[in-house]
Each structure stands twice: as structure tokens, then as C-alpha cells.
Amino acid sequence: VSDLNVPEPTAQRFIQRFEAAFGRRQSMLLKLAGFRFGEVSAAGAMVSDSGGGEWIDFGSFGVHLLGHRHPRVVEAVATKLTQMGLSTKILGSDDLLACAQSLTRVCGSQASSVVFTNSGSEAIEVAIRLANIATGRDGFAALEGGYHGKTLGAAALTDSAYRAAVAKSALTVTRLPRDNPAEGVAMLRHAAPAALFIEPIQGEGGVRPIDEHYLRALRHACREAKVLFVADEIQTGLGRTGLVLESHRLGLDPDIVVLGKVLSGGLMPVAATLFDRSSVGERAADPILHSSTFAGGALAAAAARAVVDLIGEDGFLDQVNHLGAVAAERLERLDRRETGLVAVRQRGLMIGLEFETAALCGRAVIEAARRRLLVTFCLNEPKVMRVYPPAVISEADLLVGLALLNEAIGAAFQESRANQIPA
Ligand SMILES: Cc1ncc(COP(=O)(O)O)c(C=O)c1O
């Protein structure tokens, strides 16, 4: 795949060493797709490997909406690096304060307080703690197909094989149906949990929007039963769908909003849990309960603030929506009969392509990689490919990426049909 600037044995050794360190499954895609070199540098939508190969990145687990190493984020972090690293945890930080203020401003009225964490899963744990202490209840509710992370509490809310892998669920979770509003609302009322966790569009669950009437009915039922309504916008939030929050579009006004991924600017791991202090109470909001050694450092704050400023600027969300429309127009032209595609779902630059089978989707991911286009499949729904272009990509490069995707899907389909013909 890559240019052979690096001698073959070196490349072979890379895969072997990678497998030894991270296991066979981790190296499988590298092998199947013929990757022989690791990533070494990246800018915007492009990633370079140590063999001189160049890749278009429509993957990255939904982190790189601003592309790799956005100049404004790099500048903010580089400047801060000459001044401050991790926090003393005793003094207050101007950077963190400015970041929190920017974040709560763009996210809206309910979210007046913030806890910063190092990962989305940890931010979900903060929401779990807040709800548990605020309500005194220890049951939770979440939707079928939902993904909320892999720390024990978050894994209990997650609906997938990953949860089954954890011997005993850390929480009692009522699993509401994804597609049956009447039953879902009744189950929520009956369970009266501490909090309900939803993703307005399930990312790992197959880029699947939850019916908005259902979400509003759940929101209403939560208010009535004094259940905290938690919007996990780790994947949808901060511009990916063309809005600061999907919850805004739906008028959900969550009690707690959880953000991650894009907040990092692709540079510093940082996530955040936003909440209204008056609705959870001072005891639940006690910062000592949610503190963490590394969280809320100056570098993370500098990166996150630069991200929030960028997203809030005129034209940024318009650009997401414009590129989304360009992609939609191209994807509509795919001839479904020759692709094995059964559905295309999209909001802004959050795109999911559902295939007939997970095997076909996996094959298409590999075919895309063979063409140096990086995409992934959804963790909870492996027959859905996630296509998450960055907002900083040019229209021309977006079209190049989509053309490669088109080729890859066609090749995967042909290969799968050819394999079905008996020898
Ligand atoms: C909706 C959602 N919640 C939570 C998480 C967990 O975030 P992290 O991987 O940063 O722990 C993810 C990650 O994919 C996610 O998509």
C-alpha cells in the first residue's frame, strides 16, 4: 500500500512488534488491509505513514472534526506549553475558568457548571455520580443500542457485547427499547431511576437517530418522575451534526450534558460533564467527589477553549452543513443494487452507511483502507460504517474521499458476490 521507501523487513517487523504488544485482533486490520507502516504525522484531513504513504482520514472515532493539528489549537497548546503544564490542583486556573465559561456559553442555559475529565467514559462516570447523589437512587436507565464507554459504570449503561464481557454489571440498568416509545416511557416511569442516559443519535449503535417525539416524551416523563435526563453528546456534540448540540435542535434541555471527542481538538484528551448546580444540589456537585489528578490541566483547557471558540465562530457550523450537503448529494447517487447498502443515515458530517451484513461492511472498510481512506465500523452495530469527514477538508478533497469510498464499496460488493459463486 505504502511507497516502499522503507525496506520490507522493517515494515514486516512493525506488524509483528505491533501484534506482540497489542494482540492479534488489534493487528488484524493492519494485516488484512496490507498496512505495513505506522502513522507518523498528520495535518487537516491527511495522515502520513512512515513509508511515505498519505491517507485521508474519515475515521478517528469521531475525534477530528477540526482535522488533525488545527493551527489554532496547536498554537493555543504550544503557547500554553511554554507557561504551564498540569494543574497544582490547589490554585485556580484562568485557562480552565475561561474554557468552562466558553463551554457553558455555547451549550446554553441549563449547563452552568462543568467537571472536566480525561475521557468520555470518565465524564459519564461523573454524570452517574451526580445523578446518584442528587436523587439518592441507584438504578439507571439507558436505551437499547446505546454506547456510553467502557469504565465499569459507563459499560453498564452501554448495550453491547462489551458489557457482557464484564462479569457483573456495576449498576442496575433498565434497558428501554429504541423503537417503542409507549413501552419505553412506561418502563421509565415504572423503574423511576436516578437518571436516563440517551444519545440523540446513537453513534456506535449505527449512526441511528432516536425518534424525536420519543425523546421529547422521555424528557417529559423524566421531569414528572424527577429522573435526571442526561444527553450523552460525546459523539454528536460540538459541531459534528451541524449544531453545537443535537439536544438544541430537539429542544430537550437536558439536566446533564456530556461532551468529549471533538472537545480535544484532536490534541489533548479532554471531556466534560455540564450540569445545573441548582438541579443536582451542592452535595452532588462537590468538586472533591469528581476530582482527578490529570483532569483540567492548562494544556487541555487551552485546547478545549480553542475548539469551543472555533466552533462558535461565524461560518463554522455552516461549513459543516455545507460539506454535509455535498456528501449527501454524492451518497444519494450510489446505486444501492451494486453496493449491498441498505441505508444511508446522515446529519451534518456524521454519516452512517448500513450494509446487508457486518462481513460486507468489514470488507468495505478494508477496501477503503487499501485505497488509503480511513473509515471504521460502529462498535455496537458492525454492519454500519462510520464516515466522519473533518469540517476543515476542502470540497475537492471531500469528493476525492467519497469517490474512493464509492470504489471501495463497489469492490467489496463484487468480491463478496464472487465468493458466493460455488467453485
Ligand atoms: C456516545 C459516546 N459516549 C461515550 C463514549 C466513551 O468515550 P471515551 O472513548 O472517550 O471514553 C463514546 C466513545 O466512542 C461515545 O461515542
Side-chain angles (χ1 to χ4, degrees):
V1 172
S2 299
D3 300 339
L4 295 180
N5 301 345
V6 178
E8 185 74 10
T10 310
Q12 286 293 344
R13 279 205 301 276
F14 169 69
I15 297 281
Q16 280 156 5
R17 282 185 287 129
F18 200 85
E19 183 168 321
F22 303 113
R24 260 173 68 79
R25 287 196 70 175
Q26 192 73 19
S27 65
M28 200 146 67
L29 176 68
L30 307 187
K31 275 187 191 156
L32 289 174
F35 294 0
R36 288 170 298 168
F37 305 103
E39 59 194 29
V40 285
S41 62
M46 305 303 295
V47 179
S48 304
D49 69 35
S50 58
E54 286 242 298
W55 304 74
I56 299 180
D57 187 3
F58 286 1
S60 289
F61 278 21
V63 165
H64 288 105
L65 182 65
L66 293 168
H68 291 266
R69 299 192 306 111
H70 189 290
R72 293 257 302 273
V73 184
V74 169
E75 193 196 336
V77 173
T79 304
K80 198 73 258 174
L81 191 55
T82 63
Q83 300 165 342
M84 183 83 195
L86 290 170
S87 166
T88 62
K89 293 284 171 183
I90 300 168
L91 298 171
S93 154
D94 284 336
D95 300 296
L96 204 60
L97 174 60
C99 179
Q101 285 175 330
S102 300
L103 199 54
T104 53
R105 198 169 42 244
V106 297
C107 288
S109 58
Q110 286 266 29
S112 53
S113 296
V114 189
V115 173
F116 287 101
T117 62
N118 307 291
S119 72
S121 299
E122 284 174 68
I124 293 287
E125 299 291 339
V126 171
I128 292 171
R129 272 197 301 276
L130 282 171
N132 177 236
I133 298 166
T135 63
R137 303 177 207 156
D138 52 14
F140 289 83
L143 260 63
E144 263 172 17
Y147 184 92
H148 300 286
K150 295 205 182 91
T151 49
L152 283 185
L157 296 168
T158 291
D159 182 24
S160 79
Y162 308 105
R163 183 170 46 86
V166 178
K168 188 172 184 314
S169 177
L171 304 175
T172 304
V173 177
T174 303
R175 182 83 41 209
L176 308 186
R178 182 160 59 185
D179 300 316
N180 187 339
E183 192 184 328
V185 170
M187 284 173 75
L188 180 85
R189 288 210 167 101
H190 183 256
L196 165 67
F197 284 72
I198 59 100
E199 298 158 84
I201 303 173
Q202 292 187 337
E204 303 303 332
V207 188
R208 217 176 272 278
I210 304 301
D211 176 73
E212 47 191 271
H213 301 292
Y214 185 17
L215 285 177
R216 289 200 197 98
L218 287 171
R219 178 58 185 117
H220 182 68
C222 280
R223 266 203 194 98
E224 284 187 343
K226 301 211 175 339
V227 174
L228 291 170
F229 185 91
V230 184
D232 178 348
E233 296 236 23
I234 287 172
Q235 197 152 151
T236 47
L238 298 176
R240 171 62 65 192
T241 67
L243 285 170
V244 175
L245 296 180
E246 263 301 286
S247 306
H248 287 163
R249 195 177 67 75
L250 303 170
L252 294 176
D253 215 3
D255 296 301
I256 300 177
V257 175
V258 193
L259 297 168
K261 296 205 186 266
V262 171
L263 188 61
S264 69
L267 220 60
M268 296 302 300
V270 51
T273 309
L274 283 70
F275 59 97
D276 177 7
R277 196 168 272 273
S278 65
S279 76
V280 301
E282 286 304 319
R283 211 165 71 81
D286 182 348
I288 302 294
L289 289 175
H290 308 292
S291 71
S292 150
T293 306
F294 294 145
L299 300 177
R305 186 183 177 193
V307 169
V308 175
D309 288 350
L310 273 161
I311 287 166
E313 281 173 10
D314 278 352
F316 180 83
L317 296 174
D318 294 339
Q319 177 67 359
V320 172
N321 287 314
H322 169 68
L323 292 173
V326 170
E329 196 266 330
R330 219 17 88 97
L331 291 167
E332 252 168 43
R333 284 202 245 146
L334 290 178
D335 180 353
R336 304 252 174 111
R337 284 165 309 172
E338 293 299 314
T339 56
L341 274 176
V342 295
V344 176
R345 290 185 286 272
Q346 178 182 7
R347 182 102 64 214
L349 289 172
M350 183 169 188
I351 303 169
L353 306 182
E354 181 169 340
F355 290 80
E356 283 166 2
T357 62
L360 187 55
C361 179
R363 213 181 277 259
V365 167
I366 289 165
E367 288 297 336
R370 289 193 172 133
R371 290 163 176 79
R372 292 187 182 164
L373 174 71
L374 297 172
V375 286
T376 53
F377 54 84
C378 298
L379 289 179
N380 276 1
E381 188 67 288
K383 63 182 179 188
V384 180
M385 178 194 281
R386 282 195 295 179
V387 182
Y388 285 14
V392 294
I393 196 168
S394 68
E395 205 171 307
D397 285 346
L398 175 67
L399 292 175
V400 169
L402 292 172
L404 294 173
L405 185 62
N406 193 11
E407 268 180 45
I409 292 171
F413 182 77
Q414 295 306 331
E415 207 187 315
S416 73
R417 288 301 180 264
N419 287 345
Q420 277 172 18
I421 298 168

